[in-house]
Amino acid sequence: MPHEIQNQQICKLIILGSGPAGLTAAIYSARAGLAPLLIHGPLPGGQLTTTTEVENYPGFPAGINGPDLMKLMEEQALRFGTQIVNETVSNVNLSCRPFQIETHKSAYKSSALIIATGATAKALGVPKEKELTGYGVSTCATCDGAFFKNRVVMVVGGGDSACEEALFLTRFASKVYLVHRREQLRASKIMQERLLKNQKIQPIWNCVVKEIIGDRQVGVQAVVLTDLRDGGEKRIDCEGLFVAIGHVPNSELFRPFLTLDHAGYIVPKPNSTATSVPGVFACGDVQDHIFRQAITAAGSGCMAAIEAERWLEAQEQ
């Protein structure tokens, strides 16, 4: 550890990440008397803090604002004795025991570690995309599709995920544009067939998004596309833009120590959150590239906490 870091703390359990997975792990492990330390990370509250309305989380029949839900989870974790620090991990060493965790200003040692660092949706990088995320721009049709009943929406992407998003949205939207930068989809043949057969979906080939028109008051009103063949531009009126160009798991720090798949997701053992390093557990979107829901993340956080508790107990015995 760098000599300039003075604040050293030894913990029984450290949790990295403060989304639904990390905070659920904190609630369970704190109630088990493990006195966990949770390190917020760069986005306290995780991806749900970028969502305005959450209608599919059990227990909130009228829906709840995403940041409010995460605030309630954090209050619950604090109530049971979780220590939470607003720092971001910059380095880890999982080849020694106890494990070593380093932030920009502190160094920690931990007997067990739960990784709940999540994943980051790839962005288009166009004007107003960030501003309108949660106000018509989304990266999750399952989460937000129901808000667009009888409306025109657009999906950007060409892989299986984009096709799945577009097909799912046809349950609600009156029309779905699918914009892809090439002449042909990258999706599997069966997904392409399903998409091209659906009368509600209109593909737009060889185009990229140049600009999103709208504001937080009215939401998305239209999208300006650039045709890659001739540089021409066209405006498509729509009320929702779903970006489906992939996710990047926040796992790079752990690459030297843990088994990752080809996309960088942490690979847990079958029917477990245990990783390839004993005492290290992974939960939430950093190990889930299929469901990516708040409720599944929370469930895996519960699993990780229980497994960490049992692993620590076995070490003590």
Side-chain angles (χ1 to χ4, degrees):
M1 292 293 170
H3 296 298
E4 66 268 24
I5 295 179
Q6 301 298 320
N7 180 22
Q8 300 271 342
Q9 187 171 341
I10 300 176
C11 309
K12 184 173 284 190
L13 172 65
I14 287 179
I15 300 168
L16 306 182
S18 54
L23 287 171
T24 302
I27 291 166
Y28 272 78
S29 57
R31 290 187 75 249
L34 298 181
L37 170 76
L38 184 144
I39 301 176
H40 256 155
L43 183 62
Q47 294 182 72
L48 273 190
T49 58
T50 66
T51 303
T52 51
E53 195 72 21
V54 179
E55 289 192 331
N56 56 2
Y57 199 88
F60 300 93
I64 185 171
N65 186 278
D68 290 343
L69 176 59
M70 300 320 301
K71 183 179 179 183
L72 289 172
M73 284 191 183
E74 184 166 305
E75 289 176 359
Q76 194 170 359
L78 288 167
R79 173 192 167 197
F80 293 116
T82 302
Q83 180 187 353
I84 299 179
V85 293
N86 191 17
E87 299 174 17
T88 298
V89 174
S90 57
N91 193 33
V92 299
N93 187 348
L94 307 183
S95 63
C96 61
R97 295 188 181 276
F99 304 124
Q100 298 181 23
I101 313 296
E102 181 182 314
T103 71
H104 63 288
K105 62 180 180 181
S106 307
Y108 304 94
K109 294 183 178 181
S110 177
S111 300
L113 179 68
I114 293 177
I115 300 171
T117 48
T120 302
K122 293 180 181 178
L124 298 170
V126 299
K128 292 195 175 181
E129 179 182 14
K130 188 173 182 180
E131 175 191 341
L132 292 175
T133 296
Y135 297 86
V137 175
S138 173
T139 57
C140 179
T142 308
C143 310
D144 301 324
F147 296 120
F148 296 89
K149 192 171 183 179
N150 298 322
R151 298 184 180 185
V152 177
V153 301
M154 180 180 291
V155 176
V156 181
D160 279 351
S161 294
C163 290
E164 288 171 3
E165 299 271 281
L167 288 164
F168 180 83
L169 286 167
T170 59
R171 302 180 188 183
F172 309 101
S174 59
K175 185 170 187 176
V176 179
Y177 291 102
L178 179 74
V179 176
H180 186 42
R181 63 185 302 121
R182 296 182 178 88
E183 188 79 40
Q184 186 175 338
L185 296 169
R186 293 182 291 105
S188 60
K189 186 176 180 181
I190 189 168
M191 288 301 298
Q192 292 189 45
E193 290 174 352
R194 288 175 185 169
L195 183 131
L196 295 173
K197 284 180 182 178
N198 196 298
Q199 297 298 310
K200 278 191 173 183
I201 300 175
Q202 179 179 333
I204 301 178
W205 308 113
N206 301 299
C207 286
V208 295
V209 175
K210 179 186 178 183
E211 181 186 358
I212 305 168
I213 297 173
D215 56 47
R216 289 193 171 188
Q217 295 280 318
V218 298
V220 173
Q221 294 179 297
V223 174
V224 177
L225 303 177
T226 300
D227 192 314
L228 295 176
R229 293 166 296 188
D230 56 18
E233 295 180 2
K234 54 186 172 183
R235 169 182 166 140
I236 304 291
D237 292 334
C238 61
E239 296 179 79
L241 176 65
F242 290 81
V243 181
I245 56 175
H247 287 73
V248 178
N250 302 320
S251 61
E252 195 58 33
L253 279 176
F254 316 109
R255 184 174 293 277
F257 311 102
L258 303 180
T259 299
L260 309 180
D261 69 11
H262 69 281
Y265 288 89
I266 296 174
V267 179
K269 295 182 178 179
N271 302 314
S272 173
T273 63
T275 70
S276 54
V277 173
V280 178
F281 306 86
C283 55
D285 287 10
V286 75
Q287 54 83 56
D288 173 20
H289 58 88
I290 299 174
F291 301 105
R292 292 197 295 262
Q293 298 297 303
I295 189 65
T296 53
S300 66
C302 164
M303 293 166 58
I306 291 173
E307 289 192 285
E309 177 194 359
R310 291 174 178 171
W311 185 84
L312 285 166
E313 185 178 356
Q315 300 309 298
E316 291 172 359
Q317 292 176 352

